[in-house]
Amino acid sequence: PHYGIYSKHKPVWGLHYLEPDTVLSIGDKQYVIDAKYKAHMYNYTNYSDDLKDSFRHDFHQVLAYTALNNMQKKQAMLIYPCSRFTSELLVINGLEQVDAKVFLVGIPIMKEKIRETIDSLIQVISLNANE
């Protein structure tokens, strides 16, 4: 979906819309998936202010996507390329009646790993669909 941004006097560099890669609604739960093509997961144990600032921007973006509707159960996935599949829960937000979960997910970008990656993503979604 496109989330439109409207203003009478928007600057010329202002955004016209926000667009996550995928939004799924299954029952009373929403899943927002935003894929990035940055080497963050290859630098998992390295620290730099640039890496931290870039991740903060990505994280805030996926959090904004989860705030754009009134569904109470939300799960977001921030996906980066990685040498192997990995999934880590970053946030459980229990403010008011909202249950939001954000997963940092690394996926291998290799043809021979496609089936394994799809199965692993389905498992992450399925395990959390029952909560």
Side-chain angles (χ1 to χ4, degrees), residues 48-110:
S48 79
D49 286 335
D50 289 340
L51 185 61
K52 185 175 180 179
D53 289 342
S54 176
F55 174 71
R56 178 182 291 118
H57 176 268
D58 296 346
F59 192 64
H60 287 171
Q61 183 179 8
V62 79
L63 288 174
Y65 293 149
T66 66
L68 293 173
N69 70 43
N70 61 358
M71 293 186 81
Q72 293 181 340
K73 295 180 181 178
K74 301 173 186 194
Q75 177 176 311
M77 290 185 190
L78 186 52
I79 298 177
Y80 294 102
C82 192
S83 58
R84 62 179 175 78
F85 185 88
T86 182
S87 174
E88 183 176 339
L89 179 62
L90 295 179
V91 170
I92 297 175
N93 182 357
L95 295 176
E96 298 291 323
Q97 296 177 5
V98 176
D99 177 24
K101 295 180 181 181
V102 179
F103 286 84
L104 177 60
V105 177
I107 61 168
I109 309 295
M110 293 173 268

